[in-house]
Amino acid sequence: MISQSITGTSFGTQFASFGTGLLIAILLRYPEIGSINCNQGEQVLNIKFLLKGSYPYEKLRETLMDAWAVFNQMERREVKVCRIDRRMEEVETLVLTRDLASLTFDEMNLSVQIIKSTLGKQLIIEEQVLGEEDKVFQEDMIVQSLAAMRARGAENSLTALRDGGRVLVFGN
């Protein structure tokens, strides 16, 4: 098992594969996301949001599915995998699953903004302060890594999660 820990807001491309770089950049850019998994076998990303209390799951699910349908129709993009799941664990989890072949930064950003505006204080968010320059850098990393993964596919299955201000990445 590979384990890497990132505490800064930038890293060299020689350090990380596109998959590792993508997961790190997403978690650094979006403190609303609790963890993220890249599944090599299915070629999908599972984006997990941690929640407290009850929330309007069906309404949120319908809003996200409608937004994804309109967004991808406007982009003339064919979507292979598009799922939203609710998991009742120690902490309730909302999981968005999207295929790497059609997922874009703009769609991911739209999804996070919808979830953030719908759930508000019910989202468990690890506070972090990213400057505007760092946000732009992470967004560029996400765009470049997604493009590379669309072209090549995921190299390995990886999971990234937050742990006390750090991002930990685990792989096979």
Side-chain angles (χ1 to χ4, degrees):
M1 176 185 291
I2 300 168
S3 173
Q4 299 173 348
S5 170
I6 305 298
T7 54
T9 57
S10 63
F11 49 91
T13 54
Q14 72 279 3
F15 167 79
S17 69
F18 288 113
T20 303
L22 175 64
L23 300 187
I24 292 168
I26 289 171
L27 287 181
L28 290 175
R29 173 58 186 89
Y30 295 107
E32 300 84 3
I33 297 174
S35 68
I36 189 165
N37 168 268
C38 180
N39 183 311
Q40 179 189 23
E42 293 181 49
Q43 294 293 305
V44 298
L45 281 182
N46 296 300
I47 304 167
K48 298 178 184 179
F49 297 84
L50 305 177
L51 307 161
K52 53 187 171 192
S54 63
Y55 65 98
Y57 171 72
E58 289 302 324
K59 180 182 178 217
L60 176 61
R61 184 179 191 289
E62 184 179 314
T63 301
L64 281 168
M65 294 300 277
D66 289 346
W68 288 349
V70 169
F71 181 86
N72 285 301
Q73 183 178 15
M74 288 173 47
E75 295 284 317
R76 292 185 170 91
R77 189 178 329 273
E78 183 180 330
V79 175
K80 295 177 185 171
V81 179
C82 182
R83 287 191 310 261
I84 302 168
D85 298 305
R86 180 182 200 178
R87 297 189 184 152
M88 308 293 232
E89 299 167 350
E90 287 181 35
V91 174
E92 189 162 341
T93 307
L94 178 70
V95 183
L96 308 182
T97 302
R98 286 290 285 109
D99 62 279
L100 289 166
S102 66
L103 180 64
T104 66
F105 169 77
D106 291 333
E107 181 185 339
M108 183 181 308
N109 192 51
L110 173 67
S111 301
V112 171
Q113 295 309 316
I114 289 171
I115 290 168
K116 191 172 158 181
S117 68
T118 303
L119 299 179
K121 295 184 183 221
Q122 293 167 304
L123 273 173
I124 297 173
I125 299 174
E126 184 173 297
E127 292 302 319
Q128 67 181 34
V129 179
L130 268 188
E132 204 53 43
E133 190 175 298
D134 288 330
K135 285 182 182 180
V136 170
F137 176 77
Q138 298 308 331
E139 290 170 2
D140 288 343
M141 283 296 299
I142 294 168
V143 169
Q144 291 172 16
S145 297
L146 279 172
M149 292 182 78
R150 267 193 298 278
R152 299 182 189 136
E155 305 155 344
N156 335 338
S157 291
L158 300 167
T159 299
L161 54 97
R162 301 176 183 286
D163 180 39
R166 298 180 302 165
V167 171
L168 302 176
V169 179
F170 301 93
N172 306 359

